[in-house]
Amino acid sequence: MEHLIHVLQTDRSDSEIIGYALDTLYNVISNDLEEEEQDDSEEENLPKQVDDLGSQFTEIFIKQQENVTLLLTLVEEFDFHVRWPGVKLLTSLLKQQGPQVQQIILVSPMGVSRLMDLLADSREVIRNDGVLLLQQLTKSNAAIQKIVAFENAFERLLDIITEEGNSDGGIVVEDCLLLLQNLLKNNNSNQNFFKEGSYIQRMKPWFEVGDDNCGWSAQKVTNLHLMLQLVRVLVSPTNPPGATSSCQKAMFHCGLLQQLCTILMATGVPADILTETINTVSEVIRGCQMNQDYFASVNAPSNPPRPAIVVLLMSMVNERQPFVLRCAVLYCFQCFLYKNQKGQGEIVSTLLPSTIDATGNSVSAGQLLCGGLFSTDSLSNWCAAVALAHALQENATLKEQLLRVQLATSIGNPPVSLLQQCTNILSQGDKIDRRGSKVQTRVGLLMLLCTWLSNCSIAVTHFLHNPANIPFLTGQIAENLGEEEQLVQGLCALLLGISIYYNDNSLENYRKEKLKQLIEKRIGRENFIEKLGFISKHELYSRAAQKPQPSFSSPDHMMFDHEFTKLVKELEGVISKAIYKSSEEDKKEEEVKKTLEQHDNIVTHYKKVIREQDQELEELKQRINTLTSQNEQLQGTVTQQVSQIQQHKDQYNLLKVQLGKDTQHHNSHSDTFQMNGIQMEEVSKLKEELEEWKKKHELLQGQLREKDSVIEKLKTSQLEMGATEQSSQTSKSGGLELSNELQKELEMLRSQIQLQSAEISKLQTENQRLQIMNTTADPVVGDSGATAANNSELEGRLEQEIKELKSEVKALSEEKESLKQHLDSSSSTVAILQDEKSKLQQEVAESKKEQDDLLVLLADQDQKLSALKIKLKDLGVPVEDEDDIESGDQGDEDEDGDEEEQD
């Protein structure tokens, strides 16, 4: 072995010799003997010796952890002659010394990840052997299971199963399913990862079985069996309740449960597949109301259609059906009723007189259970009794209703109650010839009666009302019977103890104290307790207490039900205490019970009141929610209105400012001589324009003087032209053209001169007036020459001032015209703005009116809300106080209102 390991270490480059070395090590360590080498004459202990030898060689190999690490690196090689023997050798090591090799692989860097690459190998031989290797690697090691799962194992394995043809595939599918079971069984983390990864949905195509179910191959049966077991792993009752519930819901939503029910009702399905399918459906619906309701609605494809539950119960009470199938149907019925009060009520209702089908065309579940309960097959008796007990489990209402069931025993005799008929059969014992175990029927009936009477005083009273029941029980307990009968004695003691513990003392002859005295006289307390202890000490009791599914090796071992073991565990102690209590303690207990009953009545009353208040509270909450939503809408509307009003305010203030500016500008130009209203820029602009007009006036004066000189020249030329009329034609034409042009200019100048002369005349009159004033002011007048000089000087000054005034008047008149135009445009703008202002004022008034209406509505709602809060506080519900916030909001609204009034 050392030489072979040395070859692996040193000759890595030679793949052929590495392959031979690995094959040799595999043959040394492996226990797979060839069939032709096994001789019939070999000793029986040879396989054991070989096992020990292979285990010893494995121990030698893994003693140096580097050898396993070296093997992991060789498995990474792509060369087929290296990789395949490496995979086989590692698989053999894991078979021989699994936990030790697992630990070495776990601590080696990327050890598990390297092996996961085998699933992606394109060569099927290596891939398939890789699946076998991972099977050995993941056995009983949660840490490796998690690593493999998170290395995308689920995706790869499901892809392989699909490629191989699902349930129609070969042994590769079987290997993949076994590996999936290793990864999921008892590993909550991987189960959750499987569910969260939506891999449950990918399981549905596995169960798509065709209509032609003839000729199932053995491999297909094996594959489908493993697929069903994989579903059960995900919904096992031993899993955490939350995880099981989420998987059950996922299976319903993806249609997996519906597919399983299709297989359940199909024809031609092999018996073992049908049995496993029933068990799988049982655990998928167990404790899940949605799935239980669906299962109740499933009908078998018969004519007329029958509910699946009825068809299954028919198989359960049919003694010709296989034992395992009958156990599976019982488990399915128990799972259907588990925590399903609605289903329990439906089953019991089929037994009540008002709902029994008088025509007898259809068989109900209740009728099948009664038929099984009173048949001559002891296994049917036991199954029907346990099924009926599950219909009453933890449901006091149905226990009372079942007391109404009446049975017709024979023609001419009056009907008897179901309770009476059960006790009658129990008392007859072995007198009726039955097929099967002698005690099985009595054990089943006693379990039914114990379940029925527990926690139901009315049923106890009905049971005690029959005078034959108590003597029968005491007689059974007091006798010294064989070992088989000890179980019946224990159950009779339990039933008698229940009759004492849940006795309400309504029957004088069977009060608690009298029954205890009877036990003391006829049986003895110690003997009674001893017989009661026979139940929990029985081996079959311990087996039944382990898991909910009834799994029995033979019909004779079918004695206890899982739920009944819970009831025994609960009642055994309290019954023992009740037997030893004295009458005074009983009286005290009665008083305490009465007090508790009163307290319970009060509690029930208050529960009812609280329930009603809860309903009212829910209604009030709904109303509050609607009012809150309405309030939020109204608040939004109010906020919108406030923002609109604020916008209107802003627009109004802007328009008001603009109107103020326009009015000020208009007032400043209404009086030409008041310069205080004109801004400095406008004054400087007007001065500049005045200077320009002065320059233009001087230019026109110069042109006027030139034209005057031209006119004088024309006048003289006209006189000359009159004397010389025989001038040439060319001079005439030129003179005429010049004359026409000058004539036009002359007309223009004349009009200007006329205007100026008018103004000069005005100034002359003014001059004369001034002269007159001057003469009046100075009576001593000098000579005429001095006067004329003064007058000419004054006229010059006046003419200059007149010219300046003319230019200023002309400029101001033009400016007045422009201002008048500007004033007209401003007036039109003011009119438009006044119109818009009136519209805005109207909109503001409407908005204010709407706001007032909203405020009134909000005030009304606030009053309603405060009334509702008071009611909620009275009911004890904490209500957050928002008065401060509301008062702050109200204050803001008031301020907005004040601003609107000021505007």
Side-chain angles (χ1 to χ4, degrees):
M1 188 176 283
E2 288 180 6
H3 292 298
L4 291 169
I5 293 169
H6 182 68
V7 169
L8 296 179
Q9 291 170 344
T10 56
D11 294 334
R12 292 285 299 277
S13 58
D14 190 345
S15 60
E16 189 175 4
I17 197 168
I18 291 288
Y20 288 142
L22 290 170
D23 274 330
T24 307
L25 283 168
Y26 170 71
N27 291 332
V28 166
I29 289 170
S30 173
N31 294 327
D32 299 335
L33 298 176
E34 297 294 334
E35 290 183 5
E36 59 267 18
E37 293 180 3
Q38 292 183 2
D39 191 10
D40 294 336
S41 63
E42 288 179 337
E43 297 179 2
E44 293 180 358
N45 60 349
L46 181 61
K48 187 177 181 182
Q49 291 174 357
V50 173
D51 285 349
D52 293 337
L53 196 60
S55 180
Q56 289 171 19
F57 283 133
T58 303
E59 198 170 341
I60 294 168
F61 185 83
I62 66 173
K63 190 173 288 183
Q64 299 294 326
Q65 293 190 6
E66 295 81 7
N67 295 340
V68 179
T69 308
L70 176 64
L71 189 55
L72 288 172
T73 57
L74 291 172
V75 167
E76 280 189 292
E77 294 287 338
F78 186 74
D79 192 329
F80 181 82
H81 296 290
V82 176
R83 197 172 206 183
W84 187 38
V87 170
K88 291 196 295 180
L89 175 57
L90 193 53
T91 307
S92 185
L93 291 173
L94 283 162
K95 283 181 180 177
Q96 297 293 342
Q97 297 286 342
Q100 291 87 337
V101 180
Q102 284 175 340
Q103 198 59 34
I104 296 169
I105 294 172
L106 193 58
V107 298
S108 65
M110 299 292 291
V112 179
S113 301
R114 294 177 192 177
L115 299 177
M116 282 301 299
D117 293 336
L118 296 171
L119 295 180
D121 200 304
S122 58
R123 296 160 295 195
E124 287 192 6
V125 175
I126 293 178
R127 184 199 69 183
N128 298 343
D129 280 353
V131 173
L132 295 173
L133 169 60
L134 290 170
Q135 273 185 34
Q136 298 298 326
L137 181 66
T138 54
K139 274 185 179 177
S140 307
N141 193 311
I144 293 178
Q145 288 167 3
K146 288 179 184 178
I147 295 170
V148 170
F150 282 96
E151 287 284 347
N152 210 20
F154 293 139
E155 185 78 32
R156 294 182 186 181
L157 291 170
L158 291 171
D159 287 342
I160 293 170
I161 291 170
T162 306
E163 289 168 12
E164 295 290 326
N166 293 329
S167 60
D168 292 320
I171 196 167
V172 178
V173 173
E174 180 183 345
D175 292 336
C176 289
L177 291 168
L178 288 169
L179 177 53
L180 283 170
Q181 277 195 21
N182 281 358
L183 295 174
L184 291 171
K185 199 166 187 178
N186 300 322
N187 193 319
N188 299 328
S189 173
N190 282 3
Q191 288 174 8
N192 189 52
F193 181 64
F194 191 84
K195 178 184 70 70
E196 295 296 333
S198 300
Y199 296 119
I200 290 176
Q201 287 80 339
R202 295 187 59 179
M203 296 168 76
K204 184 190 172 186
W206 296 355
F207 305 103
E208 290 176 355
V209 180
D211 295 331
D212 185 15
N213 292 321
C214 300
W216 286 46
S217 66
Q219 188 61 56
K220 181 173 182 177
V221 171
T222 304
N223 290 346
L224 205 54
H225 203 274
L226 288 170
M227 288 170 176
L228 291 166
Q229 285 182 349
L230 197 61
V231 175
R232 291 185 66 184
V233 164
L234 294 169
V235 292
S236 172
T238 57
N239 292 345
T244 301
S245 177
S246 58
C247 288
Q248 287 172 331
K249 289 174 183 175
M251 288 174 184
F252 174 78
H253 289 302
C254 76
L256 180 58
L257 174 61
Q258 293 85 329
Q259 204 68 47
L260 291 171
C261 290
T262 304
I263 297 175
L264 197 68
M265 294 292 110
T267 54
V269 178
D272 52 347
I273 292 296
L274 183 60
T275 303
E276 190 62 24
T277 304
I278 294 170
N279 287 327
T280 306
V281 170
S282 306
E283 292 184 353
V284 173
I285 67 173
R286 188 177 190 269
C288 181
Q289 188 67 52
M290 177 171 60
N291 293 5
Q292 288 167 338
D293 291 343
Y294 170 77
F295 185 68
S297 67
V298 174
N299 285 322
S302 59
N303 190 19
R306 286 177 174 170
I309 297 170
V310 172
V311 175
L312 290 173
L313 286 176
M314 289 171 75
S315 300
M316 186 183 77
V317 297
N318 185 353
E319 56 188 296
R320 289 191 296 273
Q321 293 291 344
F323 172 65
V324 287
L325 180 65
R326 297 173 76 179
C327 289
V329 172
L330 176 62
Y331 183 45
C332 186
F333 192 70
Q334 290 173 350
C335 290
F336 170 66
L337 297 177
Y338 182 70
K339 292 184 179 179
N340 182 12
Q341 292 195 352
K342 180 183 175 184
Q344 288 176 324
E346 289 171 356
I347 297 298
V348 171
S349 66
T350 59
L351 285 165
L352 298 177
S354 57
T355 56
I356 292 174
D357 186 4
T359 58
N361 292 331
S362 62
V363 180
S364 67
Q367 288 171 318
L368 286 169
L369 290 175
C370 281
L373 195 63
F374 307 126
S375 75
T376 55
D377 176 36
S378 61
L379 189 60
S380 297
N381 300 155
W382 190 92
C383 290
V386 170
L388 201 53
H390 275 264
L392 303 174
Q393 202 79 39
E394 296 178 1
N395 199 324
T397 307
L398 294 182
K399 289 176 183 179
E400 294 178 12
Q401 287 188 4
L402 202 63
L403 295 170
R404 295 165 45 203
V405 176
Q406 299 289 318
L407 302 173
T409 53
S410 58
I411 299 171
N413 293 328
V416 296
S417 68
L418 177 62
L419 182 67
Q420 181 65 45
Q421 185 65 12
C422 289
T423 55
N424 289 344
I425 294 172
L426 191 62
S427 61
Q428 289 172 3
D430 296 332
K431 293 177 184 178
I432 300 174
D433 186 20
R434 298 180 188 279
R435 291 178 296 278
S437 172
K438 294 182 179 179
V439 298
Q440 198 169 39
T441 300
R442 285 183 287 165
V443 168
L445 288 170
L446 284 166
M447 285 197 297
L448 171 61
L449 290 172
C450 288
T451 306
W452 194 347
L453 269 59
S454 64
N455 205 20
C456 183
S457 299
I458 298 173
V460 171
T461 305
H462 277 70
F463 179 76
L464 295 174
H465 199 70
N466 185 350
N469 288 338
I470 295 300
F472 168 74
L473 291 178
T474 54
Q476 286 286 315
I477 299 165
E479 286 183 22
N480 291 318
L481 301 172
E483 191 174 343
E484 281 189 356
E485 296 292 334
Q486 284 183 350
L487 194 53
V488 176
Q489 286 184 317
L491 289 169
C492 287
L494 180 66
L495 183 58
L496 184 56
I498 289 171
S499 302
I500 294 171
Y501 185 72
Y502 291 104
N503 193 343
D504 59 358
N505 293 328
S506 56
L507 294 173
E508 185 62 33
N509 293 332
Y510 296 103
R511 296 173 65 85
K512 283 185 179 181
E513 189 59 35
K514 289 187 177 181
L515 288 174
K516 283 195 278 189
Q517 289 173 3
L518 186 64
I519 290 172
E520 181 69 32
K521 290 178 183 177
R522 297 282 304 273
I523 304 166
R525 290 181 183 177
E526 290 77 9
N527 192 21
F528 177 85
I529 299 300
E530 183 186 354
K531 297 288 175 73
L532 183 63
F534 284 165
I535 302 172
S536 56
K537 291 174 184 175
H538 202 280
E539 181 187 356
L540 297 176
Y541 173 90
S542 303
R543 285 188 197 172
Q546 289 174 3
K547 57 181 181 178
Q549 182 184 0
S551 55
F552 306 103
S553 56
S554 68
D556 293 338
H557 292 160
M558 206 171 190
M559 289 294 173
F560 285 110
D561 170 57
H562 178 74
E563 290 297 324
F564 180 72
T565 60
K566 292 181 182 178
L567 182 68
V568 172
K569 197 178 292 184
E570 178 188 340
L571 293 178
E572 191 176 7
V574 295
I575 289 172
S576 300
K577 289 179 182 177
I579 295 299
Y580 281 103
K581 280 181 183 175
S582 63
S583 57
E584 292 179 359
E585 288 175 343
D586 279 339
K587 285 179 182 178
K588 287 180 181 178
E589 190 176 340
E590 285 295 325
E591 291 175 0
V592 170
K593 274 191 177 180
K594 285 180 181 177
T595 309
L596 287 173
E597 284 177 4
Q598 291 175 357
H599 182 264
D600 288 342
N601 292 333
I602 294 169
V603 168
T604 307
H605 172 69
Y606 278 114
K607 278 183 180 177
K608 186 178 178 183
V609 171
I610 289 168
R611 203 175 296 113
E612 292 173 356
Q613 288 178 347
D614 282 340
Q615 291 176 355
E616 291 179 6
L617 194 60
E618 284 298 322
E619 292 174 1
L620 290 171
K621 281 182 179 177
Q622 290 176 358
R623 288 179 61 189
I624 285 171
N625 290 332
T626 53
L627 289 171
T628 305
S629 61
Q630 289 177 5
N631 188 20
E632 288 174 355
Q633 291 176 358
L634 292 171
Q635 286 284 1
T637 309
V638 168
T639 307
Q640 191 177 358
Q641 292 288 338
V642 167
S643 63
Q644 288 179 359
I645 289 167
Q646 190 62 41
Q647 289 176 1
H648 292 158
K649 280 183 183 180
D650 295 341
Q651 292 175 2
Y652 175 71
N653 291 332
L654 186 64
L655 290 171
K656 193 162 73 171
V657 171
Q658 289 178 353
L659 284 171
K661 285 183 180 179
D662 291 340
T663 308
Q664 186 178 4
H665 188 65
H666 173 68
N667 292 335
S668 66
H669 288 286
S670 62
D671 190 1
T672 312
F673 299 100
Q674 291 180 359
M675 299 298 291
N676 293 331
I678 303 174
Q679 297 180 359
M680 293 302 294
E681 291 179 357
E682 293 179 347
V683 171
S684 61
K685 195 182 289 184
L686 289 171
K687 283 183 179 179
E688 288 173 1
E689 289 177 358
L690 188 60
E691 289 295 324
E692 287 176 3
W693 284 110
K694 282 181 181 180
K695 289 177 182 178
K696 288 179 181 179
H697 183 67
E698 288 174 0
L699 185 64
L700 286 170
Q701 286 290 341
Q703 290 176 357
L704 187 59
R705 281 193 293 273
E706 288 176 2
K707 296 297 185 290
D708 285 338
S709 64
V710 171
I711 288 167
E712 290 297 327
K713 289 178 182 178
L714 286 170
K715 284 180 180 179
T716 56
S717 66
Q718 246 181 351
L719 291 173
E720 291 174 358
M721 285 170 64
T724 60
E725 291 179 354
Q726 289 105 10
S727 59
S728 64
Q729 189 66 33
T730 55
S731 62
K732 278 186 180 180
S733 61
L736 285 170
E737 288 174 0
L738 185 62
S739 174
N740 289 331
E741 290 176 3
L742 292 173
Q743 192 68 31
K744 290 178 182 178
E745 291 181 356
L746 183 62
E747 288 297 325
M748 290 172 64
L749 291 170
R750 278 179 181 171
S751 62
Q752 290 180 358
I753 288 166
Q754 285 176 0
L755 289 169
Q756 289 182 356
S757 63
E759 290 179 354
I760 289 167
S761 63
K762 286 181 183 178
L763 292 169
Q764 283 179 350
T765 54
E766 184 70 19
N767 186 21
Q768 289 175 2
R769 187 173 61 78
L770 290 169
Q771 285 179 354
I772 291 167
M773 288 173 65
N774 191 16
T775 53
T776 54
D778 190 10
V780 183
V781 180
D783 57 4
S784 59
T787 306
N790 290 330
N791 285 336
S792 62
E793 185 180 354
L794 184 61
E795 282 178 0
R797 286 169 59 193
L798 284 169
E799 282 178 1
Q800 187 176 356
E801 288 178 4
I802 284 165
K803 288 176 182 177
E804 291 175 0
L805 288 169
K806 278 181 180 180
S807 63
E808 288 179 2
V809 165
K810 187 175 181 182
L812 289 169
S813 62
E814 288 176 358
E815 187 176 358
K816 184 177 179 182
E817 286 297 321
S818 67
L819 288 170
K820 189 174 181 182
Q821 291 176 359
H822 186 67
L823 183 63
D824 292 336
S825 65
S826 298
S827 300
S828 63
T829 305
V830 167
I832 292 167
L833 292 171
Q834 285 286 351
D835 188 22
E836 289 182 0
K837 180 184 174 184
S838 62
K839 288 181 181 177
L840 286 170
Q841 284 177 342
Q842 187 176 359
E843 289 178 1
V844 167
E846 290 175 358
S847 298
K848 190 173 181 182
K849 185 178 178 183
E850 289 178 2
Q851 187 181 7
D852 292 335
D853 294 338
L854 287 169
L855 288 170
V856 170
L857 185 60
L858 284 172
D860 187 20
Q861 287 178 352
D862 285 337
Q863 289 179 358
K864 290 180 179 178
L865 282 172
S866 61
L868 288 172
K869 285 178 183 177
I870 291 167
K871 282 186 178 181
L872 288 172
K873 285 178 180 179
D874 293 338
L875 291 172
V877 178
V879 180
E880 188 177 352
D881 195 3
E882 298 179 351
D883 292 338
D884 296 335
I885 298 170
E886 291 176 359
S887 62
D889 294 340
Q890 189 63 37
D892 293 340
E893 292 174 2
D894 293 340
E895 287 175 9
D896 292 340
D898 294 340
E899 287 175 8
E900 289 175 6
E901 289 174 4
Q902 288 174 8
D903 292 336

